[in-house]
């Protein structure tokens, strides 16, 4: 049993049977070189070219996987669905931003999905602006805003001008700028025109002007989830 197993020992002085067969095979394939040109070109006496050396398998493989572009479906930009409780003329409560807690009037939804609202400015100091519907509470109070022209107020109207990002010198970097930013005259004029159109509609509803000017707050013990706005 030990004789035919893989672990059977072989004498080191004599080659094994596998080694003897390999030597005989190599002697059969050996060809005698007859000229220097034949030795330089590597051709055999039978007229066949010498076999090319097989390419060595690379011992190094990259750790990261090969990157290839993924197939993505075309993105279709649909307008954000408006909540059923928000309709033109609905009084909204702002929950975030500089005017949080203020009550505003919803005018219409823009192409970007944002809400176009106003205070109006003459009542509670909120100018015409854009608001995400995630940051508002819709109330049951509503006024008629039919006939109010809001065509000029689109997403491009509220786009801010690009900042000057050119490299500044050391003196300009440490120089303190005390200039106060002023609103464009056209923006102020548009707010005044919008206030003039909405102010009579607010004044027509009793106590609505005081309601719009009052800031929404919560006290200890209030339960917002049980309130009816």
């Amino acid at each position: 049993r030990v004789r035919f197993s893989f672990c059977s020992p072989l004498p080191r002085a004599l080659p094994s049977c596998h080694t003897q067969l390999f030597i005989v095979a190599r002697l059969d394939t050996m060809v005698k070189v007859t000229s220097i040109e034949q030795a330089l070109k590597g051709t055999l006496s039978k007229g066949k070219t010498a076999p090319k050396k097989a390419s060595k398998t690379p011992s190094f493989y990259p750790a990261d996987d090969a990157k290839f572009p993924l197939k993505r479906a075309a993105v279709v930009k649909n307008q954000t669905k408006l909540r059923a409780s928000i309709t033109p003329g609905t009084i909204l409560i702002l929950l975030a931003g500089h005017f949080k807690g203020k009550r505003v009037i919803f005018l219409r939804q823009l192409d970007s999905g944002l809400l176009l609202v106003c205070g109006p400015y003459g009542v509670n100091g909120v100018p015409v602006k854009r608001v995400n519907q995630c940051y508002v509470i819709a109330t049951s109070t509503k006024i008629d805003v039919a006939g109010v022209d809001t065509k000029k107020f689109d997403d491009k109207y509220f786009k801010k001008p690009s900042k000057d990002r050119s490299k500044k010198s050391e003196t300009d970097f440490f120089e303190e700028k005390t200039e106060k930013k002023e609103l464009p005259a056209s923006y102020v004029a548009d707010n005044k025109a919008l206030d003039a159109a909405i102010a009579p509609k607010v004044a027509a509803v009793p106590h609505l002007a005081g309601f719009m000017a009052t800031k929404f707050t919560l006290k200890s013990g209030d339960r917002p989830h049980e309130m009816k706005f």
Side-chain angles (χ1 to χ4, degrees), residues 13-55:
L14 298 174
S16 63
C17 59
H18 299 287
T19 309
Q20 293 176 0
L21 292 174
F22 178 73
I23 294 172
V24 173
R26 292 288 296 173
L27 290 172
D28 294 339
T29 56
M30 290 179 67
V31 179
K32 185 178 180 181
V33 179
T34 58
S35 64
I36 300 175
E37 295 179 357
Q38 183 183 357
L40 292 175
K41 291 181 179 180
T43 55
L44 303 176
S45 59
K46 294 182 180 180
K48 297 181 180 181
T49 57
K52 295 182 180 180
K53 186 178 180 181
S55 59

Side-chain angles (χ1 to χ4, degrees), residues 118-137:
C118 73
Y121 185 81
V123 176
N124 54 16
V126 181
V128 60
K129 59 177 303 181
R130 298 179 298 175
V131 182
N132 194 317
Q133 64 176 339
C134 297
Y135 303 107
V136 299
I137 296 177

Side-chain angles (χ1 to χ4, degrees), residues 163-177:
K163 296 182 180 180
D164 184 14
R165 300 185 180 276
S166 58
K167 292 185 178 180
K168 300 179 181 180
S169 61
E170 186 175 355
T171 56
D172 295 338
F173 182 79
F174 290 101
E175 184 180 359
E176 295 182 0
K177 293 184 178 181

Side-chain angles (χ1 to χ4, degrees), residues 77-197:
K77 293 184 179 180
N78 297 325
Q79 193 178 31
T80 307
K81 186 178 180 180
L82 191 63
R83 278 187 281 173
S85 58
I86 301 177
T87 55
T90 304
I91 307 300
L92 308 177
I93 301 174
L94 301 180
L95 301 178
H98 181 71
F99 300 103
K100 61 182 178 181
K102 296 279 188 176
R103 293 179 172 89
V104 294
I105 301 172
F106 170 66
L107 300 176
R108 68 182 179 90
Q109 187 181 23
L110 302 177
D111 294 337
S112 61
L114 300 178
L115 311 182
L116 180 67
V117 299
C118 73
Y121 185 81
V123 176
N124 54 16
V126 181
V128 60
K129 59 177 303 181
R130 298 179 298 175
V131 182
N132 194 317
Q133 64 176 339
C134 297
Y135 303 107
V136 299
I137 296 177
T139 65
S140 58
T141 309
K142 185 178 179 180
I143 64 172
D144 183 18
V145 293
V148 179
D149 187 14
T150 59
K151 293 182 180 179
K152 64 172 61 179
F153 300 105
D154 53 0
D155 293 308
K156 294 181 180 179
Y157 181 86
F158 295 96
K159 189 176 181 180
K160 296 180 180 180
S162 59
K163 296 182 180 180
D164 184 14
R165 300 185 180 276
S166 58
K167 292 185 178 180
K168 300 179 181 180
S169 61
E170 186 175 355
T171 56
D172 295 338
F173 182 79
F174 290 101
E175 184 180 359
E176 295 182 0
K177 293 184 178 181
T178 57
E179 297 179 1
K180 186 178 180 181
K181 294 182 179 180
E182 296 183 359
L183 295 173
S186 59
Y187 180 76
V188 177
D190 293 340
N191 272 278
K192 288 182 180 181
L194 192 61
D195 281 12

